[in-house]
Amino acid sequence: MKTLPILLDMLARRLSPEGARWFDSACGESARGAAVERFCSLFSVASRYAPRGPLAPSADELRLAQAVLSGWSPERWTTLEGLRVALILSRRDLTQPAAVAAIEELFRYADIGELCAAYKSLAHLPDPERFVWRAGEGARSSMKAVYESACCDTPYPAAHFDAIAWRQAVIKALFVEAPLWRVVGVDRRLDAELARMALDLAEERRSAGRPVNPELWMCIGTSGGERGLASLELELRSGP
């Protein structure tokens, strides 16, 4: 995959000499087919060697990321997440069942930080549709950070989720208060059923005396009809 060279270049500018030495060694082990237990261990202990804080890609790096994979933005990645994703992508057997098993093992024992990195890797793997069930698990998560890692700043859900999973993922963003505008493809996959679900949610929120998330209206598109117009007018009248 073309993502790996970009990440390697980014990390080379951000890791300390000690971190770079460990990272080079760890990527070598991953490439040579480290046993599952060792692979998971490398993924976990990576936190000792990456500087804390955001990856903070430059404008040129962001443009390159978009050119390599449309819809991908590492703008909100941490350096540690970049390092962990690079460790996964360093495997030479990514098209083989052994790699799928190893990646699933990462998910099985991951803490939240590790889960976020693992979910962010999915769009960059060969034959990414193999992981659609796993991505769906992230999209159903009530942990905002996990949801965002699975669904925001990545083309994966729009490209691989079926209609049911896609609608659920979009509505879930409203429930966990994730930024729906960062869910790639919302404007391209609107339909009448998604509009209905969003309007149902708006009515539920009002009945419970709770505010309606303004981003909910992104789900309506041209499918809201008279019901959508009435709901929006009601919202405007009841606003501050």
Side-chain angles (χ1 to χ4, degrees):
M1 295 295 288
K2 295 180 179 179
T3 305
L4 182 58
I6 296 175
L7 288 177
L8 294 178
D9 185 62
M10 288 186 191
L11 293 166
R13 306 169 195 227
R14 292 162 173 85
L15 296 178
S16 67
E18 179 189 8
R21 286 191 295 272
W22 179 87
F23 180 57
D24 287 344
S25 175
C27 283
E29 285 193 62
S30 180
R32 291 189 297 272
V36 171
E37 184 176 348
R38 177 60 177 166
F39 179 60
C40 293
S41 176
L42 291 170
F43 195 77
S44 178
V45 302
S47 58
R48 303 176 189 173
Y49 300 96
R52 295 184 181 276
L55 184 62
S58 67
D60 285 342
E61 289 169 332
L62 288 172
R63 282 192 291 270
L64 185 57
Q66 275 287 321
V68 166
L69 181 63
S70 180
W72 171 42
S73 173
E75 182 177 4
R76 296 170 183 83
W77 284 29
T78 66
T79 304
L80 176 56
E81 287 170 341
L83 190 155
R84 282 174 164 156
V85 172
L87 279 177
I88 294 174
L89 298 183
S90 293
R91 293 184 66 106
R92 294 175 183 160
D93 62 348
L94 288 174
T95 61
Q96 303 302 314
V100 175
I103 292 168
E104 284 295 338
E105 199 73 0
L106 292 179
F107 280 102
R108 183 179 179 186
Y109 294 108
D111 62 22
I112 291 180
E114 293 163 6
L115 272 179
C116 289
Y119 277 116
K120 287 176 177 176
S121 77
L122 297 183
H124 305 275
L125 297 171
D127 304 321
E129 62 277 2
R130 295 176 297 170
F131 299 94
V132 70
W133 179 87
R134 175 56 64 186
E137 285 287 286
R140 290 186 289 273
S141 176
S142 295
M143 293 183 284
K144 184 178 178 182
V146 172
Y147 174 88
E148 290 185 8
S149 295
C151 295
C152 294
D153 306 320
T154 172
Y156 193 100
H160 299 291
F161 283 7
D162 65 21
I164 293 174
W166 168 253
R167 295 183 197 115
Q168 290 174 342
V170 171
I171 296 299
K172 188 69 174 185
L174 302 172
F175 275 100
V176 300
E177 299 184 344
L180 187 56
W181 63 271
R182 285 173 46 206
V183 176
V184 176
V186 167
D187 56 336
R188 299 192 304 271
R189 291 194 65 178
L190 299 174
D191 61 22
E193 180 61 14
L194 179 59
R196 182 199 65 76
M197 293 168 68
L199 292 171
D200 285 352
L201 178 60
E203 291 177 2
E204 291 171 12
R205 300 281 295 184
R206 291 194 198 100
S207 295
R210 303 175 69 185
V212 175
N213 186 331
E215 290 192 353
L216 178 144
W217 306 104
M218 294 173 62
C219 303
I220 306 303
T222 60
S223 301
E226 292 297 325
R227 182 189 179 198
L229 180 59
S231 184
L232 180 56
E233 289 175 342
L234 178 59
E235 192 66 20
L236 291 172
R237 287 197 302 270
S238 63

